[in-house]
Amino acid sequence: MTSAEDAVAPEPAARGRQRLRRPGRSRAAYAFVLPLLAIFAAFYAWPALNTVLSSGFEWGLINPWRLTEPGSWEFVGLGNYSETLGSESFWNAVVNTTIWLVFFPLLVTGVSLIVSILIWFAGRGLAPLLFRTAFILPMTISLAAVGVIWGFIYNPDPDFGLLNAVVGALDLDFEIDWGPLHLQTGQWLSDLGSLDLGFTELRLTNLSLIAPAVWAFIGFGVITFTAGLTSVDQDLIDAARVDGARLRHVIRYVLIPQLRGSLVIVAVVSVIFALRTFDIVYVLTDGGPGSDTEVLALLLFKQAFVFLDEPDAGLATTVAVLLSLVLVAGAYPYLRRLLEGTPR
Amino acid sequence: MRGPGRSRASMLALYGGLTALSLLWLVPVASAFMISVLPQEQSRDGWWSFDLSDLTFGNYERAWNEGLSDYVLNSFVITTLAVLLTVATGVLAAYAFARLRFRLKRSTYFLLITTMIVPVQIILIPMLPWFKTLGFEEGGLQYVGIVLVHTAFGAGWAIFMLSSFISEIPDEIIDAARVDGAGDWGIFRRVVLPLTVPGIVSFAIIDFVFVWNDLLLALTLLGRDYQPITVGLANLQSPNLAQQDIVAAGSIIAILPPLLLFALLNRLYVRGLFAGGLKG
């Protein structure tokens, strides 16, 4: 550490000196980046390239397609893409993923915004810190464990599943049919109900899977919004209050505009999360019952790794490519922000 | 006191509401914990009406002896190696990205950053054959394989976070060292590295939590004897639906290491996520 301390207090002569010019291109730079780039090239770039190229072939993992001998399987061009885009299981997964894509970011952003503002109003001290910790804590839990834990809560047996015990004790169980909407309590993971949109039917059981994900992911929003709120000028709030502004006006016209940047981050990151979702679905329902809760990431996994005797890996790669394209497009504003920090 | 907190009553309502909500938020973890420390007969007859004298650690003992210990060991091996390798290669590269000039810097930076957004599925499917080609599909070399994949996938976060920490070091300090005759390596080792320790710890915690919690890569790339606890939990979950006591104990064991890290180094963890979320 001594050398660092020396460096922190540079010689007066050096401190007075004008800023040195940046050195030119440095040979050493390549040595610094090489280890990481080599690993990145071998275990990211190369397999990703393989994924894209092999999506032009019909192949299965029993005898995998290889770039070195591409002719071992039949080249189908864009055939896998047209087959995927024409398949029922793909569109079923798209519908389920869309439910995630709508509800997950909305719930994460909304709930964590409300929670963060409430805690911010509670001020500083031990209690607000503990509140914040309670919401951040589930973020450290693996989604596989989140699935297991919520499996207990959702258990249909009212002597074991907490949710059904509470619903039973408070006499809250119901079954409703409002036109296209069918909703019922009790069988949380097998049949929560459905909403008929005419062109497609939404399986509401997906919502039972979204809830644990929201529970686990709120912490990210709380951290991000809290950081945004620390920069809010307290005098501004006081001035507004003195002028007789109502609380909801303060929130609407003072706090929310300050949080615009944080809102974009939370929304985009939760969109990314929703599109990638796999673990919770895999653990809680494995896409069932039937394929009611099968999302794109799970469909791809099953095509490639579960039904090994069918050469569907090519189809799985097309799903991976399409998913990645949608993600990069959807996350574009976030990517832009990330790249604004590009070093010179 | 802020905003609406002028009146005592509204402050009381705020604190009361937040307390209730925070407790509600912890119910899922608390219920798994209760199921894990009660005998199965008791928890299947309403675990919320428990008797303190029924509490037992027997479930943990059985879970541990029925194979969970291997999963936990695998988790530690994979996570430790992956974090070490990601930090080591990441901080070297981050220094170059933050402080040095070289060809193709912007485009390599862009490529690395995309790993933060592109899903792991883009490399998943051809990975197994690629491991076979490299000889990583059997024995302890499986650890090496998955550690390298985790490093590749952590690369974006590593570069992004660590280079932002390194660029916060004032230019004068680096320039002073250069005046003293230090080369790039000397500056890195004696100036940049010591000053980046808090940033490295922040990143290491986040990477630890990330790798420890991975399910998908481990599920597809590793054989039975090399799988981590997340896969162990998923395996336990389905065939042994009757063994809720063991599954509950397993889930608590799986939660503990990242949770302890979070409890001990809370500030650094949050700070790291700040950097990731906000600087961007």
Side-chain angles (χ1 to χ4, degrees), chain A residues 289-341:
Chain A
S291 52
D292 280 4
T293 56
E294 193 166 88
V295 289
L296 284 170
L298 188 67
L299 170 72
L300 172 164
F301 175 82
K302 285 185 175 171
Q303 282 177 331
F305 302 106
V306 178
F307 307 113
L308 281 177
D309 44 342
E310 288 176 37
D312 281 350
L315 292 177
T317 55
T318 63
V319 178
V321 171
L322 292 172
L323 194 61
S324 304
L325 286 177
V326 172
L327 262 164
V328 171
Y332 187 67
Y334 185 59
L335 197 63
R336 285 272 309 261
R337 283 180 72 95
L338 292 179
L339 287 172
E340 275 166 22

Side-chain angles (χ1 to χ4, degrees), chain B residues 160-212:
Chain B
F160 180 69
M161 280 185 58
L162 294 172
S163 67
S164 88
F165 281 119
I166 292 175
S167 17
E168 274 170 21
I169 300 173
D171 287 339
E172 293 78 33
I173 297 178
I174 307 244
D175 291 345
R178 210 176 281 285
V179 169
D180 289 344
D184 288 329
W185 173 249
I187 292 176
F188 171 74
R189 201 172 61 86
R190 294 206 305 268
V191 182
V192 171
L193 203 53
L195 290 175
T196 315
V197 168
I200 290 176
V201 176
S202 292
F203 172 74
I205 302 168
I206 291 171
D207 201 39
F208 184 99
V209 174
F210 181 78
V211 176
W212 181 276

